[in-house]
Amino acid sequence: MMQISESNNQRHSLFSAMNRFIGAVNNMDQIVMVPSLLRDVPLEYEEKGEVNNAVVLTGGNGAASYLTDRDMYSYYVLLKSIRNDIEWGVFQQGDDKKKEKLSTAVDKCRLDPEEEDENLQKEFHFHLSGLHTVLSKLTRKANTLTNRYKQEIGIGSWGQ
């Protein structure tokens, strides 16, 4: 398979970050043949005296997933769920949330048009940067999970 080298700008694009994440999760999915072996296995080896901070992600189904003290199986399910949300879209759970967002958007439209455009651009860049950061972290988690699975079943040197 031929890979096209990414320029520096392309490498930092949201599209490239999504493709890297989806590729990492697809690779994880191909390597992990028996997901039940991931149960009760911590994702990372614990460092002496190090305390992990809790991170909360909300998947498309609205359930919050806490990423502290989770086993590899929980990460596996979470990563696959997020991949599906990216590929197929997020199921919207009700018109009440849409109505609230619409009324908030209408209130924001009452701002000066130039000020609104500037706010929209800042808001877009803020969310774009955050999404890129989260996708990068999730990609690393998928790669870590894949490598740990290979270590656990004794095929740590495969594919390297």
Side-chain angles (χ1 to χ4, degrees):
M1 183 168 128
M2 186 176 113
Q3 288 186 332
I4 301 172
S5 64
E6 297 177 337
S7 73
N8 193 34
N9 288 339
Q10 288 175 327
R11 201 179 108 207
H12 296 292
S13 77
L14 179 60
F15 186 69
S16 293
M18 287 191 305
N19 281 334
R20 283 191 299 273
F21 170 71
I22 290 170
V25 174
N26 287 342
N27 182 48
M28 176 191 75
D29 212 11
Q30 289 175 352
I31 298 289
V32 177
M33 301 303 282
V34 185
S36 62
L37 291 177
L38 302 172
R39 291 193 186 276
D40 299 325
V41 179
L43 180 61
E44 297 174 7
Y45 295 111
E46 292 186 22
E47 300 292 326
K48 291 181 182 178
E50 186 173 313
V51 178
N52 293 327
N53 293 327
V55 176
V56 181
L57 294 178
T58 304
N61 61 4
S65 299
Y66 294 89
L67 300 183
T68 300
D69 300 330
R70 301 294 267 180
D71 61 5
M72 287 176 47
Y73 184 78
S74 299
Y75 282 104
Y76 177 81
V77 171
L78 176 70
L79 292 165
K80 285 184 63 167
S81 173
I82 292 171
R83 179 197 59 191
N84 289 340
D85 288 346
I86 289 172
E87 289 179 330
W88 301 103
V90 179
F91 174 71
Q92 298 297 325
Q93 295 187 354
D95 294 330
D96 292 337
K97 290 181 184 178
K98 287 181 186 177
K99 287 177 185 175
E100 287 176 22
K101 289 179 183 179
L102 183 60
S103 66
T104 303
V106 168
D107 290 341
K108 287 183 180 180
C109 287
R110 294 182 184 145
L111 297 173
D112 181 33
E114 286 181 23
E115 191 176 310
E116 179 187 347
D117 290 342
E118 186 176 315
N119 287 340
L120 286 175
Q121 184 177 13
K122 286 179 182 177
E123 189 175 346
F124 173 76
H125 286 286
F126 173 78
H127 289 290
L128 182 65
S129 175
L131 186 54
H132 192 277
T133 301
V134 168
L135 284 170
S136 295
K137 288 178 182 179
L138 291 170
T139 301
R140 284 192 298 274
K141 288 289 185 192
N143 290 332
T144 301
L145 189 146
T146 302
N147 292 333
R148 277 296 312 279
Y149 178 82
K150 289 173 13 181
Q151 287 175 353
E152 292 292 321
I153 64 168
I155 59 170
S157 62
W158 283 19
Q160 293 182 5

